Amino acid sequence: MSGPSWPPAALAAAGLLSGSTPGGLIAAIGTAAFLLDAIDGRVARSTGTASAAGSQLDSDTDASLVLVLSCAAARSTGPWTLGIGLSYYAFLAAGWFRPSLRDPLPPSTVRKVIGAFQPCALLFALAPGVPATAGAAALAVALPLLVISFGRDVVGLELRRREYHVDAAPAPRARA
């Protein structure tokens, strides 16, 4: 028997603590997860099994994958890489304080492209044989794009909430 089989998240966390990240294994598993994620929504829509709960689960699992990959990449690129993995959770936490951030977002191709670029950049940085500077450069592009995307969504949700409240407010009474 070869020993225990550890989930990728445990491998990433153990690598951060021990100083040895199994990047090749995490990159391979992460690539498989990323490719499967690319087709699960299409399958759900084509079979009529798509739902709001499934969409939320998809977003949450995507965020988990990005967090695991950013933990693994942080070993070679630095702790700033964790910003990529933690951004989704920061957005969710901000929703506790700003109710408008809990509102549904309108569909956005730009958001989808930037969201797909994050795991791609992380997987590239983790791929065996990729120079650390090249991986860090990809992540140095990914993080600002993510900040811009989340910033755009925050502003859009806040503006929409303000417009709704202004429109929903009763009109002032005219003086007689």
Side-chain angles (χ1 to χ4, degrees):
M1 187 165 269
S2 64
S5 173
W6 296 94
L11 291 173
L16 284 174
L17 298 174
S18 71
S20 64
T21 303
L25 177 60
I26 290 182
I29 294 170
T31 299
F34 182 64
L35 293 173
L36 289 171
D37 180 55
I39 62 170
D40 67 347
R42 287 185 203 150
V43 170
R45 285 186 294 279
S46 69
T47 60
T49 57
S51 68
S55 178
Q56 183 62 50
L57 179 63
D58 185 61
S59 293
D60 292 344
T61 55
D62 292 349
S64 297
L65 173 64
V66 170
L67 180 58
V68 168
L69 294 175
S70 68
C71 287
R75 177 75 179 112
S76 61
T77 58
W80 62 271
T81 307
L82 296 173
I84 295 171
L86 294 172
S87 60
Y88 176 79
Y89 300 100
F91 183 79
L92 290 180
W96 294 338
F97 305 101
R98 297 295 306 166
S100 62
L101 300 183
R102 291 184 239 146
D103 291 345
L105 290 163
S108 167
T109 302
V110 172
R111 185 184 312 111
K112 286 181 182 181
V113 169
I114 291 173
F117 182 68
Q118 304 309 307
C120 286
L122 287 160
L123 289 166
F124 174 75
L126 290 168
V130 171
T133 54
L139 297 175
V141 170
L143 183 56
L145 285 174
L146 191 60
V147 169
I148 290 167
S149 179
F150 274 110
R152 193 180 111 223
D153 288 341
V154 166
V155 169
L157 288 170
E158 285 292 325
L159 289 174
R160 188 173 338 135
R161 176 64 71 125
R162 286 186 185 146
E163 289 172 8
Y164 172 75
H165 285 298
V166 168
D167 292 342
R173 287 193 267 176
R175 293 189 174 184

